[in-house]
């Protein structure tokens, strides 16, 4: 197959893509718009089911995308220069996958040709997220830990060793992470 017959994401780097191509990489999952908590001691990142107030949690799209940096000052604008350093991005994110030299998943709308394939694959936050406007303590909404984060894996190993050494029959509550929001 020649380069001309291949899709743009297979023939261009992230930096070479047009604005339209770049924006089309977003699969519409909404995962990057979920609040994350970072433990200030370990760097472990907890993922919550709490979405930015500007995320339409049914459509999984920002309701004011063009003004997101004004509306949410800590909202991160992805770029070819910063995407590789944003370790909190979902492992399924097209930007992250391409930055890591991987291909898009078969459920990605650019591959499937269907914008709802991300929802049917269970990748999106549709039906799983709540708006930050309706919650109190973010710690009450932790749903898991970011598997790609080395600090998280080290923290889990440390906790397993601690529990094993103490002979504890039941898990003890880990120290709560500081409520430092990760930038989206």
């Amino acid at each position: 197959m020649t380069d001309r017959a291949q899709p743009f994401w297979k023939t261009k780097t992230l930096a070479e893509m047009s604005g339209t191509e770049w924006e089309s990489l977003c699969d519409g999952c909404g995962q990057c718009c979920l609040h994350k908590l970072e433990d200030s001691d370990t760097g472990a990142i907890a993922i919550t089911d709490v979405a930015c107030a500007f995320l339409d949690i049914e459509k999984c799209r920002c309701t004011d995308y063009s003004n997101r940096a004004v509306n949410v000052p800590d909202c991160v604008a992805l770029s070819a220069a910063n995407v590789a350093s944003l370790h909190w991005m979902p492992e399924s994110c097209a930007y992250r996958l391409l930055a890591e030299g991987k291909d898009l998943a078969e459920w990605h709308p650019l591959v499937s040709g269907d914008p709802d394939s991300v929802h049917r694959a269970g990748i999106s936050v549709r039906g799983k997220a709540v708006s930050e406007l309706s919650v109190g303590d973010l710690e009450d909404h932790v749903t898991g830990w970011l598997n790609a984060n080395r600090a998280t894996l080290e923290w889990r190993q440390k906790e397993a060793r601690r529990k094993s050494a103490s002979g504890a029959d039941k898990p003890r509550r880990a120290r709560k992470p500081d409520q430092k929001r990760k930038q989206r």
Side-chain angles (χ1 to χ4, degrees), residues 6-181:
Q6 290 189 24
F8 69 89
W9 65 88
K10 291 187 179 204
T11 62
K12 294 182 178 183
T13 67
L14 291 172
E16 295 170 333
M17 292 180 188
S18 70
T20 301
E21 290 168 335
W22 177 268
E23 292 297 327
S24 72
L25 288 177
C26 177
D27 59 29
C29 73
Q31 289 187 54
C32 61
C33 297
L34 295 178
H35 290 284
K36 289 108 181 138
L37 301 175
E38 181 176 19
D39 186 295
S40 59
D41 293 333
T42 66
I45 297 176
I47 301 171
T48 72
D49 63 355
V50 180
C52 171
F54 289 95
L55 182 71
D56 179 324
I57 56 178
E58 179 60 28
K59 294 179 182 174
C60 297
R61 295 290 180 177
C62 184
T63 58
D64 196 8
Y65 185 74
S66 61
N67 295 310
R68 68 192 183 283
V70 173
N71 295 332
V72 184
D74 65 349
C75 182
V76 174
L78 294 179
S79 70
N82 72 2
V83 72
S85 67
L86 302 175
H87 61 275
W88 51 265
M89 291 294 290
E91 292 177 348
S92 59
C93 176
Y95 300 100
R96 180 175 176 169
L97 288 169
L98 294 177
E100 293 173 350
K102 299 174 183 170
D103 201 1
L104 301 182
E106 62 184 42
W107 49 259
H108 192 285
L110 287 174
V111 177
S112 70
D114 179 3
D116 286 328
S117 59
V118 65
H119 307 299
R120 282 194 309 280
I123 304 300
S124 78
V125 301
R126 181 186 283 173
K128 302 172 193 167
V130 294
S131 172
E132 68 184 344
L133 298 175
S134 66
V135 301
D137 191 352
L138 286 177
E139 290 179 1
D140 293 337
H141 290 270
V142 171
T143 60
W145 295 89
L146 189 64
N147 292 329
N149 185 299
R150 178 172 296 191
T152 300
L153 298 175
E154 291 170 357
W155 180 85
R156 286 180 178 166
Q157 291 169 345
K158 179 180 165 185
E159 284 297 294
R161 286 191 301 273
R162 181 189 61 77
K163 289 176 189 173
S164 176
S166 71
D169 292 332
K170 61 182 184 178
R172 296 187 337 201
R173 181 169 170 85
R175 198 175 108 274
K176 291 183 178 180
D178 292 344
Q179 279 201 0
K180 177 181 171 187
R181 276 185 16 184

